[in-house]
Amino acid sequence: MLPSHPDLRLVWYVAEWIIRLGALGIVPFRRSPAATTSWLLLIFFLPGPGLLLFLFIGRPRFPAARDRRSQALRPFYLDVADRLDRAAGCDAGEAGRFARDLGRMPSAGGNTVELIDDYDGVFDRLVADIEAAQSHVDLLVYIFANDAVGHRIATALAGAVRRGVRCRVMFDPVGSHTWRRGTWRMLRQSGVEVREALPVRLLWRRSRADMRNHRKLFVIDGTIGYAGSQNIVRKDFKPKIVNHELVARVTGPAVAAMAAVVAGDWAIEGEEPPAPSPVAIPDPAGDACVQLLPSGADYRLEGFETMLVWQIHRACERVVLVTPYFVPDESVIGAMCSAAAREVTIDLVVSAVVDQRIVHLAQCSYFEQLLAAGIRIHQYRDFLLHAKSASIDRTLGVVGSSNVDVRSFQLNEEASLLLYDDASIARLLHIQAGYLAASDRLDLATWRARHPLRRLPESLARIMSPLL
C-alpha cells in the first residue's frame, strides 16, 4: 500500500527504484542465470518484500564466524584424509582424484558395502549395531522424530549409555521441527549428548533458515558406518504417504571418512573452539573400494553437482538417476541432453507420489524438454521413492542424501557415497532395475496432451525453483 502523503509517495517511489537498480549490480554476482532471473523478477515486481527476502535467504553462504570455525577444521580433515589414503587408498582413477579435490576425502579399499532398501530393515540393523557398540555411537540426521521409531533408537542408545558407551546425536532443528522439543527431551533423558545442526536464532542468527544439514550419517565404534537417504522417523509419518529409502551400511577403512565428517559437524556447533574427536582408521573388512563425497557451503564447489555433471558428460552407455526432487539447473539439463544426443541411454526415476506440491510442479516443467531430447522418465508407483542414487556406465555408483535439485547443490550440507567396485555397483543396478520395474514410463505425446491449466502453475513454479 502506497503512503497517502504526496511527499512520502515520492520517497517510496524513489526508494523502490533504488532497490531495483541496486539489485542489478548485486544479485547477478556469483549466481546462475536462472537464480539471477528469479531474484530480479521478484525484486522488480515487489521491491520491498523482495529485498527483505533477499537479505534473509539470498546469499548461499554462512556467517563469517561460522566460516572461521569451518576453516579451523581443515587440518583435522586433511590429517584424516592423509592417514586414510596411506592406510587403505585404492585406485579409483580420475573420478577418485576429482572427488577428493571436491570433498577432501580419498577413495579407500578394504571395505564391505551392504545396500539396504528395506526401510524397517535399516532400523533392525542399526539397533543391533548400537546394542553391540563398545566405545561410541554418533548419529547425524536431518529428521529425528519423537515417534515409535525414534523411541526405539533412543531405547537402544540408552542401553548403550548404561554400558558406558558414549552416545551423541545431532539433528537438524528445521527438518525435525515437528518433534524438536520431544526429541531433545527424549534423548537427554536417555543420557545421550545432543546438539542441533545449524541452529537458527531469530535475534542472533547463526545460520540461514533455509541452509540445512541434510546428511544422514551413522557411525558405530568408528568401524561401522551408514550413509543414505533415510531419516529416523516412521516410514508413513506423512498422511497417506509411505517412504521407500536406500541406505549403505559400510565396514572397513572408509568409515573413517564418515566419522571425520560427523565429528567435524559436531565440533563446529559447539561453544568452544572446534576440537573434533580423534578418528582412527579401521582395519580392512572386505574388497570394496568406496569414497565419501561430502558437499555443502563449507566446500569450494558444489561437490555432488560438479561430480554428477562431469560424469554424465563422460558417460558412454547408460546413466540412471533416482531422485524424489528433480529441480536441476542449466548444467545438469545440458549434460543430460548432450549425453542423450550422443545416444547414451538416460533413465530418470522420480516418484509418482507427491509430498511437496510446488517442487513437484517445478519438476514437471522440465519433463517435456527431457522427453523431447530422448531421456526416459519413469514415475515410481505407490510409494514416495525418497531414495537418491545414480549409476554411470557400470563404473560408478552413488548412494547418499543429495537430491538432483538446486537446494541440495547449493544450500544443504550433504553426503554421498561413491561406489567403484563391480560387486557394489552390480547390487545398486539390481535395486535400480527394481525401481524401473515398479514405475510407469512417461510418453512425450501423452505428456504434451496434459490439460493446459497444468502448464501455468508448472511454469510459475519453475521460475520460483531457484528460490525453493
Side-chain angles (χ1 to χ4, degrees):
M1 179 182 296
L2 288 174
S4 57
H5 194 281
D7 291 341
L8 291 179
R9 284 202 298 270
L10 177 61
V11 171
W12 184 279
Y13 180 78
V14 171
E16 286 189 331
W17 275 104
I18 290 175
I19 292 172
R20 292 185 179 111
L21 294 175
L24 289 174
I26 295 174
V27 170
F29 181 66
R30 293 184 67 182
R31 281 178 183 82
S32 68
T36 298
T37 301
S38 298
W39 278 114
L40 289 178
L41 282 172
L42 177 62
I43 292 172
F44 266 66
F45 280 103
L46 297 170
L51 174 62
L52 291 176
L53 187 63
F54 179 79
L55 292 175
F56 189 65
I57 66 168
R59 299 185 176 187
R61 56 177 180 261
F62 293 121
R66 192 182 188 282
D67 283 340
R68 289 193 293 270
R69 294 177 69 83
S70 177
Q71 289 298 318
L73 288 169
R74 288 193 63 107
F76 165 74
Y77 293 127
L78 291 173
D79 172 68
V80 174
D82 289 344
R83 288 188 291 113
L84 178 58
D85 197 22
R86 291 196 300 269
C90 63
D91 184 11
E94 192 174 0
R97 292 188 292 273
F98 187 42
R100 180 170 184 173
D101 289 340
L102 293 172
R104 303 170 184 156
M105 292 298 161
S107 56
N111 306 283
T112 65
V113 177
E114 179 185 2
L115 298 181
I116 311 172
D117 64 344
D118 174 3
Y119 195 101
D120 295 326
V122 170
F123 294 128
D124 291 341
R125 296 302 302 277
L126 179 60
V127 167
D129 288 333
I130 294 173
E131 290 177 343
Q134 299 178 3
S135 174
H136 60 274
V137 176
D138 291 308
L139 307 183
L140 170 62
V141 68
Y142 183 61
I143 298 175
F144 198 123
N146 179 26
D147 63 4
V149 168
H151 279 275
R152 184 184 179 196
I153 302 302
T155 298
L157 291 170
V161 170
R162 287 193 295 270
R163 298 194 312 272
V165 175
R166 189 264 293 150
C167 295
R168 300 192 302 204
V169 170
M170 177 176 282
F171 65 86
D172 188 277
V174 175
S176 304
H177 71 277
T178 302
W179 309 273
R180 180 186 173 202
R181 292 184 179 179
T183 296
W184 187 280
R185 183 171 54 253
M186 172 182 66
L187 292 171
R188 292 299 296 269
Q189 290 175 349
S190 300
V192 177
E193 299 177 52
V194 188
R195 284 184 184 172
E196 292 182 346
L198 297 173
V200 178
R201 305 286 188 264
L202 294 179
L203 298 179
W204 179 54
R205 192 158 51 92
R206 291 180 60 185
S207 69
R208 279 177 40 171
D210 64 331
M211 295 180 70
R212 307 314 318 152
N213 194 319
H214 195 242
R215 294 169 180 151
K216 293 92 175 173
L217 293 172
F218 312 147
V219 178
I220 296 90
D221 287 344
T223 59
I224 301 171
Y226 291 74
S229 61
Q230 190 159 325
N231 291 293
I232 298 178
V233 64
R234 285 171 40 197
K235 61 185 174 185
D236 57 351
F237 74 97
K238 292 184 178 180
K240 300 180 180 179
I241 294 177
V242 179
N243 285 266
H244 193 163
E245 307 282 1
L246 181 60
V247 173
R249 180 182 182 273
V250 181
T251 62
V255 176
M258 300 184 195
V261 171
V262 173
D265 283 1
W266 177 271
I268 204 171
E269 300 299 353
E271 297 300 330
E272 64 282 351
S277 302
V279 172
I281 310 300
D283 294 330
D287 301 318
C289 178
V290 303
Q291 185 173 16
L292 187 71
L293 175 59
S295 57
D298 290 327
Y299 295 83
R300 183 169 53 90
L301 295 173
E302 291 85 6
F304 173 72
E305 180 193 20
T306 303
M307 187 73 178
L308 180 65
V309 169
W310 178 63
Q311 283 291 301
I312 293 174
H313 276 304
R314 291 167 58 93
C316 298
E317 299 177 4
R318 190 184 186 198
V319 175
V320 181
L321 294 179
V322 180
T323 180
Y325 311 119
F326 181 79
V327 187
D329 59 13
E330 296 92 337
S331 60
V332 176
I333 291 289
M336 294 174 69
C337 291
S338 65
R342 292 185 286 106
E343 299 186 350
V344 176
T345 299
I346 300 185
D347 289 296
L348 171 63
V349 184
V350 295
S351 183
V353 177
V354 178
D355 70 332
Q356 297 189 28
R357 187 64 180 171
I358 295 179
V359 175
H360 174 72
L361 289 171
Q363 173 174 280
C364 289
S365 72
Y366 295 92
F367 287 174
E368 185 169 336
Q369 177 185 1
L370 296 175
L371 291 168
I375 293 163
R376 306 192 303 197
I377 301 176
H378 311 261
Q379 292 185 312
Y380 190 76
R381 299 184 298 269
D382 302 328
F383 299 88
L384 174 63
L385 186 58
H386 191 253
K388 307 102 168 34
S389 69
S391 59
I392 294 94
D393 284 352
R394 295 181 176 271
T395 59
L396 176 67
V398 184
V399 174
S401 64
S402 185
N403 299 300
V404 183
D405 68 359
V406 175
R407 173 163 297 282
S408 284
F409 294 162
Q410 299 180 359
L411 299 180
N412 287 343
E413 305 293 289
E414 306 281 5
S416 302
L417 187 69
L418 310 184
L419 311 174
Y420 297 112
D421 61 286
D422 293 341
S424 298
I425 295 172
R427 172 59 177 156
L428 177 59
L429 290 171
H430 176 76
I431 291 171
Q432 290 179 331
Y435 298 155
L436 293 169
S439 301
D440 297 313
R441 183 174 168 184
L442 289 182
D443 173 73
L444 177 59
T446 303
W447 185 253
R448 282 176 171 167
R450 71 194 186 282
H451 198 285
L453 291 179
R454 282 199 56 179
R455 296 175 181 269
L456 178 59
E458 290 172 2
S459 298
L460 291 174
R462 180 165 179 165
I463 292 173
M464 293 171 56
S465 64
L467 313 180
L468 294 176

